[in-house]
Structure formats: C-alpha cells, structure tokens
Amino acid sequence: QVHLVESGGGSVQVGDSLRLSCVASGRTFSPYSMGWFRQAPGKEREFVAAISWSGGRTNYPDSVKGRFTISRDNAKNTLYLQMNSLKPEDTGVYYCAASRYFTDLADLTRYNAWGQGTQVTVSS
C-alpha cells in the first residue's frame, strides 16, 4: 500500500496562488495514476485533477480548468497541484489519492489510497 502525505495548504486571498505537494512512500509511486480531490464543509468530496503514471495525460473538471495544473515527479515520488487565480469556492480540504486504474479517474471509487488532506482557505 502506498502512503500519501499532502502539504502546502494555507489561507490566501482571492486571486492568489498556492502549490500543493503530495509525497508518496511505501510502494513504487510511478505505476499509479494520481488524483487530487477536495471537500468543502457539508459537501461531498469532488474531483479536482488527475494525471497518468507517466504524466502524459491530465484531466480536470471545468471548475478548475485553466487555473489548476497537476504534475508529478516520479523520481521524487511527489505529486503537485499548482493552483492559480484562487476563488472562495476553491476552499476545502484537498486530498491526493493513488489509483491502480488508468480510466475514469474522476471517480473517487477508483482510488485505493488517500492522504490525510491539507486545508485551503480562500478569502475575499
């Protein structure tokens, strides 16, 4: 089982940027597809971004497309999420997750390992 630890969250203003990191340990990082999800208070966990094991394919929902960028460094066992032009609706706990699958990565049930989450708060 891969173990995931997120970092980089914080409190920022509208329009600011943040970069989240997720370090993997335990099992080899590179065969896994990876994703970022977020959960706001009282809401369900929602898909934010996904990336293939090679980094060659990425996927985003319309709500973050053009503002967020997912990337990975397999040599460092690290996943990143660059978030620009942040909005109040981006507030939530952000989780990274690992998947043995290569398709349907917007579906959280496709993931078998999750980090503990990092809080992102965007104030206007």
Side-chain angles (χ1 to χ4, degrees):
Q1 183 81 346
V2 66
H3 180 63
L4 305 172
V5 178
E6 304 95 335
S7 63
S11 295
V12 297
Q13 300 293 313
V14 168
D16 284 351
S17 298
L18 275 176
R19 188 174 83 155
L20 306 183
S21 298
C22 171
V23 178
S25 61
R27 286 188 175 265
T28 304
F29 177 67
S30 57
Y32 288 90
S33 302
M34 300 294 295
W36 286 98
F37 289 76
R38 67 188 179 192
Q39 189 165 19
K43 295 188 177 182
E44 295 185 350
R45 195 169 297 190
E46 65 173 356
F47 171 67
V48 174
I51 189 167
S52 62
W53 69 269
S54 68
R57 285 187 297 137
T58 58
N59 185 26
Y60 307 91
D62 289 344
S63 58
V64 308
K65 196 173 293 182
R67 299 188 299 121
F68 290 12
T69 302
I70 188 172
S71 61
R72 64 191 296 166
D73 185 337
N74 289 339
K76 295 182 178 179
N77 287 348
T78 304
L79 176 73
Y80 303 100
L81 183 68
Q82 177 66 44
M83 305 186 294
N84 298 330
S85 302
L86 283 162
K87 304 175 180 180
E89 51 263 43
D90 295 319
T91 295
V93 178
Y94 282 69
Y95 300 90
C96 70
S99 173
R100 296 190 181 97
Y101 297 99
F102 305 109
T103 59
D104 299 323
L105 294 176
D107 182 352
L108 59 82
T109 65
R110 304 286 275 182
Y111 294 82
N112 59 290
W114 293 83
Q116 84 291 345
T118 185
Q119 177 71 45
V120 172
T121 303
V122 184
S123 301
S124 57

